[in-house]
Amino acid sequence: MRVLICGGGVIGASVAYFLGCRGVEAVVIERLAPAAAASGKSGGFLALDWCDGTPLAPLARRSFALHADLVQRIAGDWGYRRLTTYGGVSGRRQRNRHRGNGYAIDWLSPEVTVNHRLGSPDTTAQVHPQRFTEAMMRAAQAQGAHLRLGNVTGLLRRNGGTQVTGVEIDGDAIDGDAVVIAMGPWSILCAQWVPLPGVYGLKGHSLVFETGTSVPAEALFLEYVEGNGAVQTPELFPRTDGTTYVCAISSEAPLPINPSEVVPDPGALERLEGICREMSPVLASAKIVARQACYRPITQGGLPLIGRIPGVEGGFAATGHSVWGILNAPATGEAIADLIIDGAARSVDLRRFDPGRLPPLDPARLRITEG
Ligand SMILES: Cc1cc2nc3c(=O)[nH]c(=O)nc-3n(C[C@H](O)[C@H](O)[C@H](O)COP(=O)(O)OP(=O)(O)OC[C@H]3O[C@@H](n4cnc5c(N)ncnc54)[C@H](O)[C@@H]3O)c2cc1C
């Protein structure tokens, strides 16, 4: 059996890895490089119980456990570690409030009040998302998967479109027994060829600072009010490689068809840099080693699409993971592999993520113009 996976982000790599664990050949088709989009530019924060009370809880809990397990199973260092996680406020919002840290975080400025503990090393963790995605891809390749660089330009169909038999890559046909759509926000392109609900992109901006290893393993979720009154929610993640990742400032800027054309909005990174300088003297004096933007893949209702594409034999979706794609990748990969091989996922009930729960996007609504 050969499974074609469209997209080499964290979801595509995880599906390939778990298919390989079951002895099934996977071909990952990626336009740029593994982890070229959000999977290489995200925070990499993981939480056991932050999805509790939502339909995502079983997926997140299973995935949190798999992340710990994968460290034992796969070669490589992707900066996995457990963390303590705090919440607080910074900037003008707290001017009239009590100042000073409820928790002493000495790498933050005195203007920041850290007043909640949101997670402990039992419940929160992190990975370096690019390294994690690359390690999953390498592990998949070690089990026989292939990485094919190329642009998915169509899906091959038979029987009046009710069966998917392959993928068109830059106009060339490649056959497979099943096809998994895992192109993050670019999955929307596949609505041209199969009945897939809309997947949209929500842009986020981030900076990576070279802070050294003295910054402790503390993740921070802060609220910051800018001079213009805009409320930002910066997330700060010191990493094992001596860098600190900070993201904030979302925008609804349209998704370019070519992932290589994703660029920050004008002025967004300068604003983020200003916020970082104010929040922390350590960040203010640190060299910035990455300035970037990427798109979260989101769906109507906010839940991912994980399962069979309705009415299309051999067609599967694994996309739309929004803010939790790095967390939920392993359990998604495991569940999709079981679904393809056994006809049902064993570890997670996928019914709430069924692509058939939403109406398919009308292809006439797609405006595709490649620059
Ligand atoms: C600022 C920010 C911070 C985040 N922080 C976290 C976090 O802390 N924790 C967490 O769990 N999640 C986080 N996320 C979410 C997470 O990054 C995403 O949910 C996840 O990366 C999505 O992975 P994916 O594989 O579905 O998509 P992507 O990473 O977008 O991968 C899709 C791949 O498809 C490829 N592609 C596109 N078009 C084509 C084509 N035509 N042919 C072939 N290939 C194509 C792209 O090049 C890309 O590599 C964050 C997201 C953002 C934006």
Side-chain angles (χ1 to χ4, degrees), residues 4-353:
L4 310 179
I5 301 166
C6 303
V10 72
I11 301 295
S14 298
V15 172
Y17 171 73
F18 281 98
L19 283 168
C21 291
R22 307 265 333 255
V24 169
E25 181 192 357
V27 181
V28 178
I29 304 145
E30 163 55 46
R31 181 160 180 173
L32 298 178
S39 300
K41 296 179 178 130
S42 91
F45 179 77
L46 315 175
L48 171 71
D49 53 2
W50 289 23
C51 298
D52 282 4
T54 79
L56 282 174
L59 189 73
R61 283 181 166 268
R62 174 71 186 155
S63 235
F64 191 82
L66 282 174
H67 271 284
D69 192 39
L70 288 167
V71 177
Q72 312 301 324
R73 278 161 53 174
I74 293 179
D77 173 9
W78 52 90
Y80 175 86
R81 70 175 167 185
R82 299 298 185 107
L83 292 163
T84 304
T85 301
Y86 297 101
V89 288
S90 175
R92 297 201 322 177
R93 165 148 292 209
Q94 59 147 354
R95 283 231 164 108
N96 299 324
R97 296 193 193 176
H98 169 71
R99 290 222 180 167
N101 291 354
Y103 292 90
I105 308 289
D106 62 8
W107 59 282
L108 296 180
S109 98
E111 299 297 311
V112 181
T113 301
V114 174
N115 45 19
H116 321 287
R117 201 168 93 134
L118 300 171
S120 73
D122 289 335
T123 60
T124 54
Q126 72 179 152
V127 294
H128 188 299
Q130 179 177 352
R131 290 194 199 154
F132 174 65
T133 303
E134 289 169 348
M136 290 296 276
M137 191 69 81
R138 274 195 307 272
Q141 288 173 287
Q143 298 180 131
H146 308 278
L147 173 63
R148 165 107 184 235
L149 294 183
N151 184 12
V152 172
T153 48
L155 299 182
L156 308 178
R157 288 167 301 159
R158 234 188 358 224
N159 298 339
T162 59
Q163 190 179 359
V164 175
T165 57
V167 173
E168 189 187 277
I169 307 170
D170 297 308
D172 289 340
I174 160 172
D175 292 330
D177 302 295
V179 174
V180 181
I181 309 299
M183 299 199 310
W186 293 278
S187 301
I188 195 168
L189 296 173
C190 299
Q192 298 172 86
W193 311 305
V194 287
L196 199 66
V199 183
Y200 306 95
L202 181 64
K203 199 190 240 185
H205 295 85
S206 55
L207 295 170
V208 181
F209 296 85
E210 202 172 80
T211 44
T213 46
S214 57
V215 179
E218 295 163 341
L220 294 161
F221 287 74
L222 302 178
E223 207 174 276
Y224 180 98
V225 182
E226 292 183 279
N228 62 6
V231 179
Q232 300 297 341
T233 50
E235 301 174 8
L236 293 75
F237 306 127
R239 291 177 167 164
T240 58
D241 64 356
T243 63
T244 296
Y245 172 98
V246 185
C247 66
I249 308 184
S250 294
S251 103
E252 293 183 1
L255 178 79
I257 300 302
N258 187 337
S260 71
E261 291 170 9
V262 173
V263 289
D265 287 1
L269 291 180
E270 291 73 12
R271 278 166 65 201
L272 181 54
E273 196 176 334
I275 292 171
C276 291
R277 285 180 183 284
E278 211 174 298
M279 288 189 305
S280 164
V282 173
L283 297 181
S285 61
K287 183 177 162 197
I288 296 175
V289 291
R291 302 167 181 271
Q292 55 199 13
C294 62
Y295 283 85
R296 300 169 188 92
I298 55 168
T299 62
Q300 189 189 326
L303 294 177
L305 309 175
I306 310 172
R308 288 193 178 82
I309 298 175
V312 182
E313 199 186 323
F316 297 83
T319 187
H321 288 72
S322 186
V323 298
W324 287 121
I326 306 298
L327 169 65
N328 287 330
T332 299
E334 182 186 52
I336 285 283
D338 288 350
L339 181 61
I340 292 173
I341 298 164
D342 304 326
R346 285 171 299 176
S347 47
V348 181
D349 182 350
L350 293 179
R351 275 174 297 186
R352 299 296 295 267
F353 313 128

